Amino acid sequence: MSDPNVLLPVQQNWSCHNCGGCCREHQINLSEDEKQRIEKQNWTVAQGVPGDRPLIVPLGAGWRLNHQDDGACVFLDSGGLCRIHTRFGEPAKPLACRLYPYAIHPAGNGLTVSLRFSCPSVVSSLGTRVTAQREQLQSLCREVVPADFRNAELPVLANRRSVSWDELRVLMAFLERGLADRSLPFQERLLQTLAWFQFLEQVDGEMLQENNLSEVMTILVEAARRACDAGGYGTLPPSRTGRMMFRQLIAQLLRHDTQRSVLEGWKHRLRMLTSGLRFTSGRGLVPPLDDPASVRTAFGESAAGPHQPVSFAAVEAFGRELPGETDELFERYFHVKLQGNHFFGRAFYDYSLLDGFRTLALMFPATLWTARLRALQAGRDRLLADDVRAALAILDHNLGYSPVLQLRSSRSRIRQLAVMQQIERLCFHYGGE
Ligand code: SF4
């Protein structure tokens, strides 16, 4: 069978810059073949790997790569390079290492590629254009994607109503156009697209017949534009409950669970519980949380230095001016996640399109809240572009991957925030002047 068509994000660059972050943050599971291949590579202490522990350890019924004392993969050298890659080349590495930061998802008869913004080179769009890496990505798709990917479940719009892949393409085309409209600040574009979805949810199933999604969307886009032009849409401040739920979401997104922290057992769990309670109350000081290694390496002292204590009140009182690069960053982020089908279905806790998009929309205020916190921790009263990039890298590490966000309570929080119309207010309140 010929290779399926693979859709790639056109606005994104990426090459690995060897910060070593992913080699410190991720657990690398191995297939039996990969285990045997690494064992045949005959690693010895003379080649730099640790001699006091096995390189591969059991994980459930399978295997994983072991870690050094500082949490780094046993094959990571002091220069941030992978020893397997250095000795045997990229194809000799486990598939999970070769895939990151890419994520491949079904899209009807074809496939689509997204990226994880937890990699600092992705968040800063450094390196080769993704569209120039088609051959390598097509080869990865052949390894990763099961032969029956065309049978993947259809996306669910909301309330268990599924849409065809063609309808999804129609919807995505509207969203992409709306979010790329540079005549408006990104915040306004986001508010308008949220309004479309709010109206779409209210459209009767009968009215939304096969093949007329485009007509319905055209009407909703115009209605949303008028609602936003008339003012008031999302411009009220978030309620106390809305803010509390928002901080709970941020606490979950800020969690930093690594192999090392998991081994700490109850101490780590207690720290996370205490931190969650502090975020829920929103009073006193924001609890200190470790940054992922990639963020410390890529964004330097503001992340790595000793943080100044910051109160929740100070984050709230922070000025609303945003760095000029903010719109470009979020436009690119949404482009990558939307065209990559990286916000619903199997790739995203089995969320519907509406709930997934609302969760993605909340990344906008959540990132800007976290960027404020980082600026204050570094003793600044203005945001730098790197505060926003670092915050997005931290939060996107968990989005779609942390099991905490899969909990029923996390899902129902998104629904409640939507019902109370708090998502628009949060996007407006934290999204600039
Ligand atoms: S986090 Fe990104 S830049 Fe850093 S080592 Fe991993 S892939 Fe390379």
Side-chain angles (χ1 to χ4, degrees):
M1 192 188 295
S2 60
D3 276 341
N5 183 35
V6 179
L7 191 64
L8 303 177
V10 293
Q11 290 179 22
Q12 182 66 44
N13 294 13
W14 177 74
S15 302
C16 176
H17 290 79
N18 302 320
C19 74
C22 55
C23 317
R24 295 176 195 279
E25 299 298 329
H26 297 270
Q27 173 178 284
I28 300 300
N29 298 357
L30 301 175
S31 67
E32 188 57 37
D33 282 355
E34 288 173 331
K35 174 179 176 279
Q36 289 180 19
R37 190 170 74 219
I38 292 171
E39 283 169 349
K40 283 187 195 144
Q41 291 169 354
N42 289 323
W43 289 95
T44 64
V45 178
Q47 287 146 346
V49 293
D52 61 346
R53 67 198 70 199
L55 301 179
I56 296 171
V57 289
L59 175 73
W63 305 94
R64 68 167 174 84
L65 290 180
N66 205 355
H67 291 86
Q68 303 179 41
D69 285 339
D70 66 355
C73 168
V74 280
F75 287 108
L76 186 68
D77 73 15
S78 55
L81 297 175
C82 168
R83 290 192 169 90
I84 300 181
H85 192 139
T86 307
R87 265 185 80 200
F88 299 103
E90 214 253 347
K93 294 198 292 190
L95 180 60
C97 306
R98 286 185 286 133
L99 187 60
Y100 184 86
Y102 287 113
I104 299 168
H105 302 126
N109 273 328
L111 296 166
T112 187
V113 172
S114 175
L115 289 99
R116 296 181 65 176
F117 278 60
S118 48
C119 166
S121 298
V122 174
V123 91
S124 299
S125 200
L126 301 177
T128 311
R129 285 202 89 76
V130 171
T131 45
Q133 304 178 39
R134 180 171 293 279
E135 213 173 297
Q136 175 210 342
L137 284 163
Q138 233 141 4
S139 155
L140 270 173
C141 288
R142 279 193 288 275
E143 283 189 73
V144 172
V145 178
D148 64 349
F149 76 89
R150 290 179 178 84
N151 301 333
E153 284 168 20
L154 291 175
V156 172
L157 182 64
N159 304 324
R160 299 178 198 271
R161 184 197 184 279
S162 55
V163 290
S164 67
W165 292 106
D166 283 342
E167 285 179 307
L168 177 71
R169 271 187 281 279
V170 170
L171 205 52
M172 288 303 114
F174 273 94
L175 278 175
E176 286 251 24
R177 269 202 304 278
L179 290 169
D181 177 3
R182 292 186 184 161
S183 66
L184 299 172
F186 185 81
Q187 179 197 44
E188 276 182 49
R189 301 177 221 168
L190 191 56
L191 287 174
Q192 293 212 4
T193 48
L194 281 165
W196 304 350
F197 270 175
Q198 194 192 51
F199 294 159
L200 186 60
E201 197 169 30
Q202 292 158 15
V203 171
D204 191 88
E206 298 276 307
M207 186 180 155
L208 204 57
Q209 298 293 340
E210 190 89 13
N211 301 327
N212 76 346
L213 184 61
S214 186
E215 288 164 44
V216 171
M217 282 303 297
T218 305
I219 296 166
L220 298 187
V221 167
E222 185 50 28
R225 192 188 59 73
R226 274 195 252 116
C228 290
D229 283 353
Y233 188 79
T235 55
L236 293 171
S239 67
R240 272 178 65 150
T241 311
R243 286 177 206 247
M244 182 194 70
M245 289 180 168
F246 176 61
R247 287 192 307 270
Q248 288 173 332
L249 172 69
I250 293 175
Q252 290 181 333
L253 289 167
L254 279 174
R255 274 182 74 124
H256 185 212
D257 299 303
T258 61
Q259 187 68 29
R260 208 169 160 202
S261 60
V262 169
L263 288 175
E264 282 181 356
W266 66 268
K267 277 191 196 164
H268 175 65
R269 289 200 295 278
L270 185 62
R271 210 168 44 242
M272 289 300 104
L273 180 66
T274 313
S275 163
L277 291 173
R278 294 256 288 275
F279 270 89
T280 300
S281 84
R283 285 198 285 270
L285 295 178
V286 180
L289 290 162
D290 294 339
D291 288 333
S294 51
V295 170
R296 288 200 300 273
T297 308
F299 296 103
E301 279 304 305
S302 65
H307 290 165
Q308 290 191 20
V310 173
S311 67
F312 283 99
V315 178
E316 290 301 321
F318 198 88
R320 295 181 65 192
E321 193 184 336
L322 299 181
E325 296 88 340
T326 307
D327 278 15
E328 181 279 329
L329 174 61
F330 280 103
E331 186 182 316
R332 182 162 49 80
Y333 178 73
F334 276 75
H335 163 66
V336 170
K337 299 290 176 178
L338 290 176
Q339 73 82 44
N341 292 350
H342 206 168
F343 67 104
F344 65 86
R346 285 281 162 84
F348 204 83
Y349 314 120
D350 281 324
Y351 274 25
S352 68
L353 285 162
L354 262 66
D355 285 349
F357 183 73
R358 284 167 174 151
T359 308
L360 207 55
L362 280 165
M363 285 293 279
F364 179 63
T367 300
L368 296 174
W369 190 97
T370 307
R372 290 177 176 194
L373 171 66
R374 294 180 62 78
L376 288 164
Q377 284 173 332
R380 282 183 273 101
D381 61 1
R382 284 169 74 99
L383 288 185
L384 303 179
D386 268 0
D387 293 324
V388 185
R389 292 191 192 110
L392 185 56
I394 295 169
L395 302 188
D396 198 62
H397 177 77
N398 280 328
L399 192 72
Y401 296 91
S402 167
V404 176
L405 290 159
Q406 192 162 20
L407 298 173
R408 189 190 289 260
S409 55
S410 303
R411 186 181 297 247
S412 85
R413 185 187 308 126
I414 298 297
R415 304 265 347 118
Q416 285 177 52
L417 283 169
V419 169
M420 297 187 302
Q421 298 189 1
Q422 294 296 306
I423 298 177
E424 299 81 3
R425 295 184 188 195
L426 291 161
C427 288
F428 179 78
H429 186 73
Y430 294 102
E433 293 176 299

